[in-house]
Structure formats: structure tokens, C-alpha cells
């Protein structure tokens, strides 16, 4: 299988990392819309327009599947992408909901959903989790986590002050959905804040779980062909790919 | 005179506020590129491309002057905008340099230049200030200030921790250039951190000073016609305009 991975910027590389660890695909084409990043502060209409343009870009590659690594796009634009795509399109939100349902047997579990302003406003996780029988939900837009991670702040006093800012009214949860590709990079700090026993739902792991459940993978590809595209500054994407993916 | 004010988003409204306080213009057309904001994390090539598109947009209005309220655009794209524009184009960086030179008679003054990553990397302020005879310069990319202001964080422990993060190696300056339209909103907090006697250079005030020096303003317009455009979510621009500009 030859797949496309779409993200608003570089964050989707955390999803590529999970895919590579499982050697599921022969060829991965990554597209990060770095010239218009971030999407999480933008309008539904704009996000849909950009997502449709990404599908058009991917048509150059005759893909078998498109994985939307960006939670914001997954929350708003999946139906519209499917309408224009020649291949199936799956997103990290639906995968994250199923991974949460698999991880939590107790339907009264308290689940904290974190995401960008757009993702949280969409209520995509809440609607999906309620359909799975969960009702004890807290949702919090934690938009500052994105620029903090992009400044490589993964711990320390700014992040701790930001946690207090966002979570002063938050009940300690049983599970935390890291509903943005940037958030796994501060998962240790989040666990230090809330305590180590929290179940963390990571978009990359969730998508692998979803794929293994829904597709047959008979062959393992140890050296998949990788192609990376960015709408600006491909050198920055190259540098981060090398660092995060060890390639 | 009928003028255009261009910014990457809503921050340029702080410049419009200064213009309105001085009643210099009969008509102001504001354009904020909210669908692609922020520019300060982006590439020179991308910034130039977006800036040229803004000039094309302004051609619908038969303007007498375009004011670039965005420091990042002023630092990178002014020449390219002038090439395609039918009217003069002036930017906040050149205005800020002249305002600094006017405010500081002592050429040994220590000047701290703050801006986005792109603005600081351009060295536009440093080059201009050195040409004015200043050599005691510190420049610091303080990109986190932008999302903090957009989350309406103007004081408090996150901001103070962010100051310590950025300024631990910074010598206390004589003057601070607020080289991003968002930064005036945290000027009080900056003065509390560095002490109240610092001279602050504000892009809006600098552009008024520059205009009054370079153009004849014989008439005052007490009720200028205002038009606001955004590349997405005009309602958000409308709400912030009402709040910041009291209109």
C-alpha cells in the first residue's frame, strides 16, 4: 500500500513515526502545509478549503489511502475530503475515539480531551465518545501548547504555569486524549502534572491500532519509500524529519 | 487621502488605533490575512508572495498610500510590494528606526529589539539602527508573545515565566522596540519586568510620527470612512475592531 499523510505542518511527523515503527506501508508521501500553518486557530470554511487542496495535491501520487494526521482537519473536513478523494480517507479523531473505547472498559471513566481551539469547538471527540457510551467528559482548548512545543519547550516553569492556567478548574481525569499532533511531545510533563497513572491517547498509536483492525497487513515493509513535501521551507521539514524520525 | 493598512491578522489594528487618534485620513481600508496568519514563523519567499497578493487586493480601492502595519512584512517584502504597487508603500520598521533615532539622542544607548522569529532573523532593525549610528543593540525573537496576546494573556505568571525564559541573558536596555503589532498589549508587563523608565517604541506611534514628518496634513478628518477586510472570519475582525478601536 502507498499512503499519503496530511498535516497542517510538521506535527504529523509524530504520526509517521508510529507508522514507521510498525512497518505497515511500502510507500509514504507526507504533505505538511507549512505555508499556512497553524490550522487550529482558523475557521471551519478555511480548514475545509485547505484540506480539499491537500487531496488535490495527493492526486499526483495514485495513493491507496490518505491518513489525516491533523486533529483539526480530522474534526472538520473528513467528509469533504472523502467527496473529492479517489481513495479512502481516515482521520486521527475517529481512530482516537476507538482507541479510547478500547483502552477504557469503564464507561464512567473521566476523559479529558485536549486540542486546538478549532478541534475543541468542533466537539468531534465529545460526540464520538458519547456515541461510545462515555459521558464523563471534560474538553479544554489548550492552544498555547502548540507554539510552546514549536519553541521546543517540553518542560519547565512556562509549561507548568500554562498547565495551572488551563487546568485550575479541571478534575483529575482517568485518561487524557492528546488531540493535537504536537501534544505527545509534552506527554511526560502532562503526566507529571496530573500523575503518572493516566492513560494517554496518542494519535499516532491510535491510527496504527485503527489500521490493524480495519486492513489486512500480510507483508512488513522494513524500508518503506518516504517522500516529504511542504508548502514552504522544505529544509525545515527535512531537519525535523531527520531529528524526530531518525532517518 | 485614502489609505490601505495591511497586516497578517488583527494585530495591525493597534496601528489603525494610532492613525484614528490623529485623524489624518479621510478613508482607511484595512486588510488582515487572517486565513494565513501568523507570518512571523514563515519563510521570506512565502511572506513576499503573500505581501504581493495584498497589494493586488488593494488595487480594488484606488489608494493614495499603503501602510504595512506588520513588522515581519515590513522587514522582508517592502521592496517587492513597491514594485507592484501603484501608490507609495511605507512600513513600520523604517518608521520605528526613525522614531528610535528621534527618541534617543545618545548613540551609545542600549536598544533591545523584540520581534517575531522572521523579523529578528531579517536584521532589518539592526541594519537600520546601525546606519543611524547606534551600535549597542540586543535583538531577541520573542515569538511566544504573539499567541499569549491572542489568548488575552497580558500579565501574570505565564508571561513572567516567558520573560525570564527570553531575557535571562539580556542586559537592561534604555529603550525597547516593540517590533510586532501584538507587543504593545504587553507593554505594561514589559515595563514592570525591566522597570518603568524604559523608552518604548510602538509601531503605531512611530508611523504617525513618520507620516507627519513626510506628508502635509492640512485637514483633520474626524469621521474617517473605515472598511475592514479579512481573508477568513471577518466576524472575529469585527469583534476585535469594536473592542480595540471603540467603534
Amino acid at each position: 500500500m502507498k499512503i499519503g499523510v496530511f498535516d497542517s505542518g510538521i506535527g504529523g511527523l509524530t504520526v509517521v513515526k508510529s507508522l514507521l515503527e510498525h512497518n505497515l506501508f511500502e510507500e509514504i508521501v507526507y504533505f505538511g502545509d507549512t505555508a499556512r500553518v497553524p490550522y487550529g486557530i482558523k475557521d471551519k470554511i478555511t480548514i475545509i478549503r485547505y484540506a480539499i487542496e491537500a487531496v488535490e495535491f495527493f492526486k499526483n501520487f495514485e495513493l491507496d489511502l490518505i491518513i489525516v494526521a491533523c486533529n483539526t482537519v480530522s474534526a472538520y473536513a473528513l467528509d469533504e475530503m472523502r467527496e473529492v478523494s479517489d481513495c479512502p480517507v481516515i482521520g486521527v479523531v475517529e481512530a482516537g475515539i476507538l482507541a479510547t473505547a478500547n483502552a477504557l472498559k469503564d464507561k464512567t471513566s473521566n476523559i479529558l480531551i485536549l486540542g486546538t481551539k478549532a478541534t475543541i469547538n468542533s466537539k468531534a471527540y465529545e460526540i464520538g465518545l458519547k456515541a461510545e457510551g462515555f459521558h464523563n467528559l471534560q474538553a479544554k482548548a489548550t492552544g498555547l501548547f502548540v507554539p510552546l512545543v514549536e519553541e521546543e519547550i517540553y518542560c519547565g516553569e512556562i509549561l507548568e504555569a500554562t498547565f495551572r492556567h488551563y487546568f485550575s478548574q479541571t478534575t483529575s481525569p482517568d485518561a487524557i486524549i492528546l488531540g493535537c499532533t504536537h501534544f505527545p511531545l509534552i506527554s511526560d510533563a502532562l503526566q507529571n502534572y496530573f500523575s503518572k497513572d493516566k492513560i494517554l491517547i496518542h494519535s499516532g498509536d491510535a491510527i496504527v491500532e485503527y489500521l490493524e483492525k480495519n486492513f489486512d497487513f500480510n507483508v512488513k515493509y522494513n524500508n518503506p519509500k518516504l517522500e516529504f513535501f511542504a508548502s514552504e521551507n522544505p529544509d525545515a521539514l527535512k531537519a525535523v524529519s531527520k531529528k524526530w524520525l531518525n532517518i
Side-chain angles (χ1 to χ4, degrees), chain A residues 22-95:
Chain A
H22 292 79
N23 303 307
L24 303 181
F25 300 107
E26 195 174 2
E27 198 169 337
I28 298 176
V29 179
Y30 183 90
F31 172 56
D33 191 6
T34 48
R36 303 190 291 200
V37 73
Y39 285 6
I41 56 170
K42 297 196 173 105
D43 254 13
K44 182 177 175 176
I45 296 172
T46 308
I47 294 160
I48 289 172
R49 180 158 59 89
Y50 293 170
I52 288 173
E53 288 174 13
V55 174
E56 296 301 334
F57 173 74
F58 278 133
K59 284 184 181 171
N60 297 309
F61 299 93
E62 295 181 23
L63 301 174
D64 299 304
L65 177 72
I66 294 171
I67 294 174
V68 179
C70 174
N71 280 269
T72 302
V73 174
S74 300
Y76 277 122
L78 224 50
D79 288 343
E80 289 80 0
M81 291 179 78
R82 284 171 179 154
E83 270 172 36
V84 293
S85 177
D86 301 327
C87 66
V89 181
I90 63 171
V92 287
V93 171
E94 56 190 309

Side-chain angles (χ1 to χ4, degrees), chain A residues 7 10-18 21 69-71 92 114-116 125 142 145-146 148-150 153-155 159 163 176-192 200-207 244:
Chain A
D7 187 54
I10 57 167
L13 294 174
T14 59
V15 171
V16 173
K17 192 180 173 73
S18 297
E21 283 165 2
C70 174
N71 280 269
V92 287
L114 306 181
T116 63
Y125 276 107
T142 53
F145 291 171
V146 177
L148 287 170
V149 164
E150 294 201 338
I153 292 171
Y154 309 130
C155 59
L159 198 57
F163 288 164
I176 302 171
I177 295 180
L178 305 171
C180 171
T181 48
H182 285 72
F183 297 178
L185 290 149
I186 54 163
S187 58
D188 285 349
L190 274 166
Q191 284 197 310
N192 284 337
L200 298 185
I201 304 297
H202 175 299
S203 295
D205 297 340
I207 208 89
W244 288 8

